[in-house]
Amino acid sequence: MSSRNIILASIRRSLGVSGKEAPRRKAVVDRLKQHPSGVVPARGQLAPKERIKLFCTMVEAANGTVEEIPRANDVPAAVAAFLRSHNLPMSVRRGDDSRLTAFPWDRERTLEVTTGPSDGGQLASVSHAFGAVAESGTLMLTSGADNPTTLNFLPDTHIVVVDAKDVAGDYETVWQRLRDKYGEGTMPRTVNMITGPSRSADIGQTLILGAHGPRRLHVMVVGDQ
Amino acid sequence: MNRVTSPRFKRNASEAIADPALQKAMSAGLGFVERRQAAADRLPEFDALRDSARDIKNHTLAHLDLYLEAYEERVTAQGGHVHFAVTAEEARNTVLDICRKVSAKTVTKGKTMIAEEIALNDFLEEKGVTPVETDLGEYIIQIRREMPSHIIAPAIHLNKEQVEADFRRVHTHLPPDRNLDEPATLLAEARAVLRERFLAADVGITGANFLIAETGTSIIVTNEGNGDLTQTLPKVHIVLATIEKLVPTLDDVAQLLRVLARSATGQDMSVYTTLSTGPRRKDDPDGPGEYHVVILDNGRSAMLEGEFRDMLRCIRCGACMNHCPVFNAVGGHAYGWVYPGPMGAVLTPSLVGVDQAGHLPNASTFCGRCEEVCPVRIPLPRMMRSWREREFERHLSPATMRSGLAFWAFFAKRPSLYRLATNVAMRALSLAGMFFNGRFSHLPLAGGWTRHRDFPAPQGGTFQSEWKRRKGHAS
Amino acid sequence: MAEALANTANKPVSKRVGLFATCLVDLIRPSVGFASAKLLEDAGCIVEVPSQTCCGQPAFNSGDRTTTREIAMQVIEAFAPYDYVVAPSGSCAGMLRVHYPELFRDDPNWLPKAEAFAAKTFELVSFLVDVLGLDRVDAKFDGTVTYHDSCSGLRELGIKAQPRKLLRSVSGLKLDELKDADVCCGFGGTFCVKYPDISNVIVSKKVDNIAASNAQTLLAGDLGCLLNMAGRLQREGRAIHVRHVAEVLAGMTDEPAIGEAGSQDREVPA
C-alpha cells in the first residue's frame, strides 16, 4: 500500500469512517465551493476615503512609508523624489505591468528604469500591487512577468504602487478578486501579502529593519477611489 | 530523530536555573505577553475569531481525509507534486531523493519545526548535501549546533555577546578586528553572508503554517523575508508539512491568520505572509521550476482518535510558552526535544512516548494561562492531566510518589480516622513550631518544600476539632 | 410595630451553608475557617461544618481518577443536606464546581448528582458578592495590602473583581495592585515539592514583585498560594505579613499572620 493510502486509511480508522459517507463528502464539497467567510472585523469596513486613511496609518505603524498621489502620471516624479530624498542611486527595476509601463518614465531624465526580475544587483524596485487591505496595511502582490517576485525581496528599497480603488477593507474582498481573475481553485505561483519592510528581533531582542528582505518599503496610493 | 533528552528534564531544568545568561535572557524576553494583549485589545472581534479558528480546525480534522484528497488534486492540477510520508525516515528519504535528482549541493532552509522533528539537517549533511538555515535565529543556533529553544524565536535564550562570539568564530573570511558592537552590525553581517547562500542554493526548503485545500496552496509566515528568498531563488521548492496543517479555504485561512501573528508577537500581520501554489508558470521570469510538498504523518493520524485530538488544532503561535511560568523559568532546551512549553508538554509524549517525555506534563502548576491565551482554545492543562492519568495507570510515576499518595488516600477516604490523626499530628507540629518562631526551615519528609521556603507551623488543633469544640456539634 | 411585622414577613429563609473548610485551612490555619464562617453568618447564613477530608485534588492531579471519584462521592454525599457549599479557596472550589461533573461524565448515576452539587458550590468571596449581593463589609484594617490572584480562582471561577470590591470597603485599608498579580506563584499543589527548584524560581519572581509594592500585607484567597509565598518571603527575611483575605474582611486580624510567632495553640476568638 502506498504511504498515501496508509495515511488516509489511518485517518479514516481513527475517525471511524470509510471515506465514502455522502454527508461528509457533501460537507467538504460545499465548503470548498461556497468558501463562507467567518468573522470580518469592523475595523476595515469603512467608506473609501476613510479606508485609504486607515490603510496609510497601518502602513506607517508597520514601519513603512506611504504617500497619496492623485494623478497616476505623477508617479515617476514621486519615485525620483523619494530616491533623492534618501540619497539613493537614481535607478529602479520594474516588471512589465502595463499600468507601470503607462507611466511617463521618460519625463524623469535622471532616473534609470530597467525591466525584469532582480538578480540581487538592484538597489531599488517598483512593483504594482494587485490590491491592498486596509485592516492591517497589507499589500497583495501576485507573481509573474508583470511584477516578478524577486523584485519584492532582493532590492534594498521596494516601492509599491497601488490603485486607491484596489484598497479593500478586508482580505476576503481580495481573495474574491483573485478567484475572479485566476479562476476558482486556481492561483498564481506566489501571492505575497506584505506588511512593512523586513525585520528581525533575533539578536539581543533588538528590533532591526532590513533582515533579508527590503530595508525600506514605500507605498504610493494612486488616484481617487 | 533528534536526540531526546526529556527524560533528564529535572537535570536540564536545574542547569537552566543555574545559568545566569539564560535566566537574564528569559527575564528580558521579547515583550510577547504585553504585545499580544495590546493587539487583542485593539481588535474587538479577537475572541470571536478564536472561536471561529477553533471551529474551522475542528471541522477540518473531522474531515481530514477528504480535505487531504482535495488538496492533493489542486496541487497536482497546477503543476506541483505531493509526497506522503508515514514516518520521519520516509520524509527524510523523500527530501534527499528530490535533492539528488537535481544534484543539489546546498539547500537553503526557511524555519520549519518539522525539519527539526525529523532531524533533517544532520541527515542531509551525512549524505553530502549542505543545509543552510536562513531564519536569523535558526542560523545562529545552527552555527552553535543547538536546537531551537522557542518555536517562534529560536535564539531567545542567547544574548548579543554570545552571537557576536559565534559570528567571529564562524565567519572566518571577514576581518577579525571588524566592529560588531551593535545588533545592527551583526544583522548586516548575517544578511550579507546569507545573501550569497540564497543566490547559490539549488533547493529551498520551507515549512508551511497552513495548506489550503481550495487552491492547493502552502502558506509561510515570516518577518525577515528569508522564507521567500528560500522558496523563490532555487530551482526546486520543497514544502515540509504535516497532515494537520490543512485548512479548507482562503476565507478560512483569513480567520486563522487574524489570530496567528497577534497571538505570537502582537503584530496584526507578520511582514511576509506568502501563498505558494505550484512551480513557476510558463511566462514567469522567476520562481522555482519544481514544487514539492512532503506531507508527514509521524503519529498524528493516531492522535485523531482519543483524548489528544484537540492538540492537532495547534497553529504553532508560541503564545502558550510565552505565558508559561515554567517555560519562563527554565527556557526551551530543558524540555529536551523540538517542542517546548505547554504545547510541547502535550505533543511530545504523543510523538516520542510518555515513557520518555513523562516529566513534561508533570512539570506544570496547571495555572491555566496557556489555555487562556491559546488562539484555538486547546485545553492544554486537561491534556497534561490525561498524560498523568496514563502514567499512573502504567505505573510510570516514581514509587515514592505513588506510596505517598496511597498513604494520604488511605486517610482521605476515612473521615473519622482522618480527623483523629490530623488533629493529633497538627497539635504536635504546632507545639514543635513554638520552638522555631512559628515556622520551620527544615522538616523531615518535607525537604522538597524546605529547600527554598520556610514551612509555617500549624496554628494548633484542626479546624474541624475546634469547630466541634466551640459549637458543641456532633459530626 | 406594623413595620417590624412587615420586615419579619419579608425576611427570606436563611440559607443553609455547608462550609468546605479545605484541608490546608483545616490542618494549618483554622482561623481562616472561623473568619469564613463569621462572614457567612454576618450575611445571614446558617453555617455548618459536616465531616470532611479533602476535595481530592492531590489524587486528581496525580492521575488517580479512581481515588478522586471515591473522595468526590464522599464529599457530594456529606454536603447533600445544604443549600450551598462554600469554600475559602479558588482551587478547591474549582475542583468541586468545574471538575467534579467532569469526573462523572461517563456515569449516568452520579453525573446528575455531581452537576447539582457543582451548581450550589462557590468560592467564599464570589459567594458573598455574586450570590448574596454583598458590596461591603464592616471591618477595619489599618495599612496597605496587595492582592495575589490565585490561578484557579481567576481562570476557573472568574474571581478578580469581587475580593477587590470588598477590600475597598474595609475602613482604613489601602489596596496597592501587585505587578503581575495574575501570574502563578509556583505552588501548583504537588508541583512545588516535585519540582522545587523550578517552583523556587517562580515564587522568587512573585516575592520580588510583592516587595516592590508598597504593601506591608499580602492577601490572597487560597491558603496553598499563601503558604508558598509566606514561606519564601520568610526564607528571604522579608518583613511582609501574609494573611488570607477572609481574615481581613471578617475583621479577625488579631491572630498572628501566617508563619509568625505565637500563632500556635491559641484560643481562637469566639
Side-chain angles (χ1 to χ4, degrees), chain A residues 128-150:
Chain A
H128 202 296
F130 178 78
V133 178
E135 188 186 314
S136 51
T138 300
L139 296 157
M140 313 275 277
L141 293 100
T142 52
S143 56
D146 286 358
N147 292 287
T149 304
T150 42

Side-chain angles (χ1 to χ4, degrees), chain A residues 3-4 10 12 14 24 31 39 42-43 135 150 156 172 179 185 187 189 191 193 195 198 212-213, chain B residues 45 65 72 74 90 134 137 191 214 224 250-252 255 258 268 271 273 275 277-278 281 286 301:
Chain A
S3 296
R4 175 190 187 278
S10 178
R12 286 171 174 143
S14 291
R24 287 179 86 236
R31 193 178 193 93
V39 176
R43 180 193 287 184
E135 188 186 314
T150 42
D156 243 22
E172 286 78 0
R179 289 185 189 107
M187 294 273 272
R189 152 66 193 167
V191 175
M193 301 170 73
T195 313
S198 158
H212 296 295
Chain B
E45 297 87 354
D65 54 324
E72 184 193 24
R74 285 286 86 212
E90 209 183 322
T134 64
R191 180 189 168 104
E214 178 196 347
E224 297 177 17
L250 289 166
D251 288 69
D252 291 328
Q255 298 290 289
R258 285 185 173 110
D268 288 356
V271 178
T273 298
L275 292 80
T277 315
R281 305 297 190 263
D286 51 26
S301 57

Side-chain angles (χ1 to χ4, degrees), chain A residues 30-223:
Chain A
D30 285 350
R31 193 178 193 93
L32 291 174
K33 194 136 128 216
Q34 290 152 16
H35 35 77
S37 40
V39 176
V40 179
R43 180 193 287 184
Q45 309 309 305
L46 302 165
K49 203 147 141 235
E50 279 70 45
R51 212 190 297 153
I52 303 285
K53 198 149 165 283
L54 174 65
F55 173 70
C56 293
T57 305
M58 297 304 286
V59 167
E60 287 174 339
N63 301 111
T65 52
V66 58
E67 60 179 305
E68 292 182 66
I69 302 182
R71 290 181 328 192
N73 285 350
D74 291 337
V75 165
V79 169
F82 180 80
L83 296 172
R84 228 177 274 124
S85 71
H86 287 87
N87 282 322
L88 295 169
M90 299 291 283
S91 172
V92 294
R93 177 158 294 185
R94 64 173 180 84
D96 289 335
D97 194 303
S98 56
R99 296 166 293 187
L100 292 177
T101 306
F103 293 146
W105 295 101
D106 47 1
R107 283 198 209 152
E108 293 305 313
R109 304 274 147 154
T110 53
L111 182 62
E112 182 202 18
V113 181
T114 57
T115 53
S118 172
D119 55 13
Q122 296 72 37
L123 286 174
S125 56
V126 178
S127 306
H128 202 296
F130 178 78
V133 178
E135 188 186 314
S136 51
T138 300
L139 296 157
M140 313 275 277
L141 293 100
T142 52
S143 56
D146 286 358
N147 292 287
T149 304
T150 42
L151 293 182
N152 302 344
F153 293 100
L154 286 171
D156 243 22
T157 298
H158 190 203
I159 300 171
V160 183
V161 178
V162 63
D163 288 342
K165 68 170 172 45
D166 291 335
V167 177
D170 50 62
Y171 313 112
E172 286 78 0
T173 303
V174 185
W175 295 155
Q176 192 49 47
R177 285 186 53 220
L178 282 170
R179 289 185 189 107
D180 294 340
K181 174 166 181 187
Y182 293 93
E184 293 275 341
T186 313
M187 294 273 272
R189 152 66 193 167
T190 312
V191 175
N192 291 122
M193 301 170 73
I194 298 181
T195 313
S198 158
R199 54 192 265 170
S200 171
D202 273 335
I203 298 182
Q205 288 86 43
T206 310
L207 179 68
I208 310 170
L209 300 180
H212 296 295
R215 256 180 268 265
R216 242 175 254 104
L217 177 76
H218 185 67
V219 183
M220 296 181 173
V221 181
V222 168

